[in-house]
């Protein structure tokens, strides 16, 4: 069961069309309350961080895990350690940026062995909203900043001609 958040009702409907059981509009709804009402969760993938950490931890079941992959809402916040201990929660920070080349190569090999076959089989697919030629990178950034995209925005590179 997958629950997700999005910043508009249209994006929530889009997430549900992709298979989410519940999509919560974080601009108009108390996310933590909606998640608790749906039945707490075992795993949260959090790209926001900051003040969302506490409410996210409150949404987790006993022995739940939160994986922090970014901190769009800030690098620091207060943390109720009692909640962490009493529910035996795990908080994991994950990024590829500071990994050594050997580790990155090992992870890339795992992606090649597991993710690529799933993409080829059609079990996993990327949702591409729009493509822009590389020469229009500024327009692509403006589009992303408008927060209208529903899926990935891709820059395309023309194939090199052979002479």
């Amino acid at each position: 069961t997958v629950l997700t958040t999005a910043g508009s009702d249209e994006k929530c409907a889009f997430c549900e069309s992709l298979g989410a059981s519940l999509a919560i509009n974080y601009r108009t709804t108390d996310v933590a309350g909606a998640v608790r009402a749906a039945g707490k969760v075992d795993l949260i993938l959090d790209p926001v961080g900051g003040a969302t950490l506490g409410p996210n931890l409150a949404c987790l079941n006993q022995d739940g895990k939160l994986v922090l992959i970014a901190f769009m809402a800030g690098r620091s916040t207060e943390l109720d350690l009692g909640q962490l201990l009493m529910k035996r929660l795990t908080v994991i920070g994950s990024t590829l940026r500071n990994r050594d080349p050997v580790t990155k190569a090992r992870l890339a090999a795992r992606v090649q062995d597991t993710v690529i076959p799933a993409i080829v089989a059609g079990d996993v697919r990327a949702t591409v909203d729009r493509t822009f030629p590389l020469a229009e990178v500024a327009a692509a950034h403006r589009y992303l900043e408008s927060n209208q995209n529903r899926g990935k925005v891709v820059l395309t590179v023309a194939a090199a001609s052979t002479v």
Side-chain angles (χ1 to χ4, degrees), residues 4-159:
T4 191
T5 61
S8 71
D9 292 339
E10 294 78 19
K11 287 186 177 185
C12 286
F14 178 69
C15 291
E16 289 172 345
S17 77
L18 294 174
S21 299
L22 175 64
I24 303 161
N25 184 336
Y26 63 81
R27 295 182 196 276
T28 61
T29 307
D30 169 28
V31 173
V35 171
R36 284 192 298 272
K40 294 183 181 182
V41 296
D42 297 315
L43 173 68
I44 295 175
L45 183 62
D46 183 4
V48 180
T52 66
L53 182 65
N56 279 343
L57 294 177
C59 291
L60 286 168
N61 286 321
Q62 293 275 83
D63 300 309
K65 292 180 176 64
L66 182 139
V67 180
L68 185 65
I69 59 170
F71 41 83
M72 295 185 313
R75 298 171 63 116
S76 61
T77 188
E78 286 192 27
L79 175 61
D80 178 355
L81 295 174
Q83 180 176 273
L84 208 64
L85 294 172
M86 296 304 292
K87 292 170 73 177
R88 298 180 308 274
L89 301 178
T90 302
V91 178
I92 301 166
S94 183
T95 182
L96 287 175
R97 292 181 184 176
N98 63 350
R99 302 278 180 106
D100 62 272
V102 172
T103 302
K104 287 181 181 179
R106 188 174 65 247
L107 290 170
R110 287 178 59 195
V111 167
Q112 183 175 348
D113 293 343
T114 58
V115 178
I116 302 299
I119 293 170
V120 170
D123 297 331
V124 174
R125 64 182 170 86
T127 302
V128 176
D129 177 274
R130 243 174 117 175
T131 62
F132 289 85
L134 183 58
E136 295 179 25
V137 66
H141 274 277
R142 283 191 300 276
Y143 182 66
L144 283 169
E145 290 166 357
S146 76
N147 201 27
Q148 296 176 40
N149 61 300
R150 293 186 187 126
K152 299 299 179 187
V153 174
V154 177
L155 293 175
T156 57
V157 180

